[in-house]
Amino acid sequence: MQGIGIGTSDFKKMRVNDYFYVDKTLFIKDVLDNKSEIALITRPRRFGKTLNMSTLKYYFDCTQKDNKELFKGLKIMDQEEKYTSKLGYYPVIYITLKDVVSTNFEKMLLCLKTELVEVFIDFANLLKSEKLLDVEKEMFSTILNLKANEIEMRDALKLLTRLLYKEYQKPVMLLIDEYDVPLQNAYVEGYYEEAVK
């Protein structure tokens, strides 16, 4: 008997635990057909945006072990080769900003640093790359070791995207979930003007 998995928004967890799953994987086809460099998915609330982003991550990510088994029996695997060939094809960065909240700007920056470090940990294997320069590895390590200044943190995702492109020679997908949470919280807590910059 399948479980419902209430509150679960991780695609892999849904599939591995055999939770009831409404197959929305044709969304992947829509993303590929769209060909936009940027897609913004907003409303409605509780519509499954986080689960869909998680699905995209597991489908496209070439930096993880083979995820083909997760998609077995789902609609995306019945599509043409131009869609199924993208399974495990791109490097994917996934970051959620849902926990980047605090009572003041300095603490919010610390929360953001923590989230970025967690993302960088996922790609720590880049430190062993023969394709990257020593200076690039040093820049990576600065963020990984929580020694980055505000400017280095601001440019962290740009750096990571560039390094992943250099390593894999493929476009990099950047998925940002709950992007608006830090600014909503800043507005509520009274430091919006500082945070919006």
Side-chain angles (χ1 to χ4, degrees), residues 4 24 26 35 39 78 82 109-110 116 128 144:
I4 296 179
K24 297 181 185 178
L26 288 181
K35 298 190 187 320
D78 295 333
K82 71 178 184 176
L109 282 180
L110 187 57
L116 286 168
K128 298 175 186 171
L144 191 61

Side-chain angles (χ1 to χ4, degrees), residues 92-151:
V92 178
I93 301 168
Y94 175 85
I95 185 169
T96 180
L97 302 182
K98 71 179 175 67
D99 295 324
V100 181
V101 295
S102 192
T103 55
N104 64 53
F105 181 65
E106 290 74 24
K107 288 180 182 174
M108 185 205 72
L109 282 180
L110 187 57
C111 291
L112 184 58
K113 270 188 177 185
T114 302
E115 289 298 327
L116 286 168
V117 167
E118 288 183 24
V119 171
F120 272 61
I121 287 170
D122 289 342
F123 299 102
N125 63 316
L126 288 173
L127 293 171
K128 298 175 186 171
S129 172
E130 295 179 11
K131 296 179 183 177
L132 303 184
L133 301 172
D134 287 342
V135 69
E136 292 172 320
K137 292 177 185 179
E138 286 174 32
M139 293 167 72
F140 186 96
S141 292
T142 298
I143 294 164
L144 191 61
N145 296 321
L146 279 170
K147 294 182 179 174
N149 61 39
E150 194 173 322
I151 293 169

Side-chain angles (χ1 to χ4, degrees), residues 57-71:
K57 179 194 182 319
Y58 286 110
Y59 189 80
F60 290 116
D61 196 3
C62 70
T63 67
Q64 303 291 314
K65 65 179 186 172
D66 186 23
N67 286 325
K68 190 173 186 176
E69 192 64 29
L70 296 176
F71 293 89

Side-chain angles (χ1 to χ4, degrees), residues 11 15 18 21 23 25 59 67-78 87:
F11 177 76
R15 298 292 288 163
D18 195 31
Y21 174 72
D23 188 349
T25 57
Y59 189 80
N67 286 325
K68 190 173 186 176
E69 192 64 29
L70 296 176
F71 293 89
K72 187 177 178 181
L74 298 179
K75 292 177 184 174
I76 190 62
M77 299 310 288
D78 295 333
L87 176 65

Side-chain angles (χ1 to χ4, degrees), residues 7-20:
T8 303
S9 57
D10 182 84
F11 177 76
K12 184 174 185 176
K13 194 173 192 179
M14 295 282 291
R15 298 292 288 163
V16 168
N17 292 316
D18 195 31
Y19 291 153
F20 182 74

